[in-house]
Amino acid sequence: MSRNASERGQLDLFHALPGEFAVRDAQDLMSYPFFSLSKSHRTRAIEFAAGGVEIRVEAVADHGMATIWDADILIWAASQIVEARDSGLRTSRLMAATPYQILTFIGRGTSARDYHRLKAALDRLQSTTVCTSIRQPVEGRRHLFSWINEWTERTDATGRPDGIELIVPDWFYRAVLDDALILTIDRAYFDLTGGLDRWLYRLVRKHGGRQRAGWRFEIRHLHVKSGSLSPYKRFAFELRDIIRRQPLPGYRLALEIEARGRRLLAFEPCGQAVDGLVLSGTSGIVPSGTGPSCYQEPGSGLSISKNDRIRGRNLESNSESNSCCAAPTEDKTARGRAQSFETSPRNDPSERPLGTKRGSAT
């Protein structure tokens, strides 16, 4: 835990709101590899570079890298800030809450074991450092921060634990206050147990928000975009298992194989209009908390599309993902392949909306 008196003195304390409300997530965190997808102790850095975006995430050996489960705390923080702002309350990067408030919001238990896990997650978020060019208007500029600047346990007059205070970074706070950078997600997200399931839902929710006909990604491109340490074959196997299980609330997945053999993950909305917000806690609209993710029971095995149409690039609303086969900065071979895909008119981009043809306007 870290304390910085000067920074704390400049911030007003924002107390967490009681009750349950919509779950919000930051789009930047949904689009790029910022977290470990495994609960195992990861210290190997994530390095990602594509379409003018550069990201490097580093961890310390003592705590390991923040995981996608730890990111639930940031989802809680984003939801609190947006709800307070919309209610006309003054918000701040300095937030105070009880462990019970945080744990119940993100669908966890409230035992002593869960409390200790929460503190371990806060440690990982505070010790993980991120360096990125996202939302840096000056070319070559980078923003360096930790997911939590500092956190501390509060105590009452008798010295008994009385909650938690934490400070979120300015990079995250500014994104949360920008409506264009926030999406409402289904509360059933917290029920997803697999790291890849969770990462894929956030990616699908981000890209599928305005695409009535769905979206498609080249599986090799997804592997790089995930930041996963799993080899490609293992990653593809786990992805096929997700397609078989159909766990993502509000979306249906399919494996699509093009005539020339490229394997693509296609997804489309189901259960509600894709343009609308995913309403949290309203099971009548999005059937959350059940095995199937749609009203219709998923068929057995993989869904394979024989449609070999060549579709155009994605809309300008997702222009930051218009690069193909993005590669980590240290992978020169993959980066070279990415450049050849992006500059050659004979190759398709790796991610684009369904239902568009070659030559369509982006």
Side-chain angles (χ1 to χ4, degrees):
M1 291 179 286
S2 169
R3 295 184 64 92
N4 186 318
S6 60
E7 181 177 16
R8 295 172 63 84
Q10 297 171 4
L11 298 172
D12 294 324
L13 182 62
F14 166 58
H15 289 273
L17 301 176
E20 193 171 282
F21 37 82
V23 182
R24 276 93 170 197
D25 201 355
Q27 291 195 46
D28 289 337
L29 274 63
M30 302 165 79
S31 303
Y32 298 105
F34 282 114
F35 303 99
S36 170
L37 303 186
S38 172
K39 291 182 178 179
S40 61
H41 191 87
R42 173 171 177 169
T43 56
R44 179 176 170 182
I46 295 175
E47 293 190 63
F48 178 85
V53 170
E54 294 183 12
I55 296 170
R56 180 175 176 85
V57 184
E58 296 179 300
V60 298
D62 287 346
H63 300 294
M65 183 176 294
T67 71
I68 199 163
W69 292 272
D70 301 337
D72 289 356
I73 298 173
L74 298 177
I75 294 176
W76 166 83
S79 304
Q80 284 282 339
I81 293 169
V82 174
E83 185 70 17
R85 182 204 61 187
D86 293 348
S87 300
L89 301 176
R90 185 173 182 177
T91 64
S92 171
R93 292 167 47 216
L94 174 58
M95 307 176 67
T98 64
Y100 179 85
Q101 288 176 303
I102 300 174
L103 291 170
T104 53
F105 186 88
I106 63 178
R108 308 281 178 87
T110 56
S111 66
R113 183 181 182 186
D114 294 305
Y115 177 52
H116 289 303
R117 286 178 172 176
L118 175 64
K119 292 198 294 183
L122 290 167
D123 282 339
R124 285 189 292 271
L125 289 167
Q126 195 274 327
S127 61
T128 298
T129 57
V130 179
C131 182
T132 181
S133 62
I134 296 175
R135 286 187 280 112
Q136 301 305 303
V138 180
E139 185 177 357
R141 181 179 173 182
R142 301 291 181 270
H143 198 124
L144 180 65
F145 59 92
S146 295
W147 290 119
I148 292 178
N149 284 21
E150 59 180 78
W151 75 275
T152 184
E153 290 183 281
R154 302 172 64 192
T155 58
D156 60 19
T158 63
R160 298 180 61 182
D162 189 36
I164 290 173
E165 290 183 7
L166 59 90
I167 300 177
V168 296
D170 184 66
W171 184 90
F172 173 79
Y173 184 69
R174 288 179 181 273
V176 170
L177 292 180
D178 188 337
D179 284 334
L181 297 176
I182 288 294
L183 283 177
T184 305
I185 65 174
D186 196 304
R187 189 169 291 278
Y189 166 79
F190 296 127
D191 297 329
L192 297 175
T193 57
L196 188 57
D197 296 39
R198 284 170 158 249
W199 172 80
L200 192 59
Y201 172 79
R202 297 173 85 186
L203 185 74
V204 165
R205 175 67 183 101
K206 195 273 182 185
H207 285 278
R210 295 175 58 186
Q211 310 306 325
R212 293 182 178 276
W215 201 269
R216 66 209 293 261
F217 287 88
E218 184 177 359
I219 293 180
R220 287 193 177 275
H221 177 58
L222 283 177
H223 180 230
V224 174
K225 200 174 180 72
S226 71
S228 172
L229 292 178
S230 297
Y232 170 73
K233 288 186 177 180
R234 178 65 187 178
F235 178 86
F237 172 81
E238 293 177 351
L239 205 58
R240 289 195 298 271
D241 182 62
I242 292 176
I243 296 172
R244 178 188 60 80
R245 292 186 286 111
Q246 296 293 336
L248 305 190
Y251 296 94
R252 181 164 180 80
L253 310 176
L255 176 65
E256 184 173 306
I257 303 177
E258 290 187 332
R260 58 182 179 178
R262 283 204 316 168
R263 294 178 177 268
L264 307 149
L265 173 71
F267 64 85
E268 59 185 11
C270 64
Q272 77 158 48
V274 71
D275 286 339
L277 292 176
V278 177
L279 302 179
S280 304
T282 53
S283 57
I285 297 178
V286 179
S288 306
T290 61
S293 59
C294 314
Y295 289 111
Q296 182 180 0
E297 189 73 12
S300 59
L302 299 178
S303 299
I304 300 180
S305 171
K306 296 182 179 179
N307 191 339
D308 59 356
R309 289 179 298 155
I310 299 177
R311 302 178 172 94
R313 285 180 178 267
N314 56 322
L315 299 179
E316 65 275 6
S317 60
N318 287 313
S319 58
E320 75 278 3
S321 298
N322 269 334
S323 58
C324 176
C325 302
T329 53
E330 75 275 8
D331 189 346
K332 296 181 180 179
T333 304
R335 184 166 67 249
R337 184 167 60 250
Q339 293 171 347
S340 67
F341 266 105
E342 199 162 6
T343 57
S344 172
R346 294 174 296 176
N347 292 297
D348 308 329
S350 57
E351 47 187 89
R352 49 192 178 275
L354 298 177
T356 57
K357 300 179 179 179
R358 181 191 291 270
S360 299
T362 58

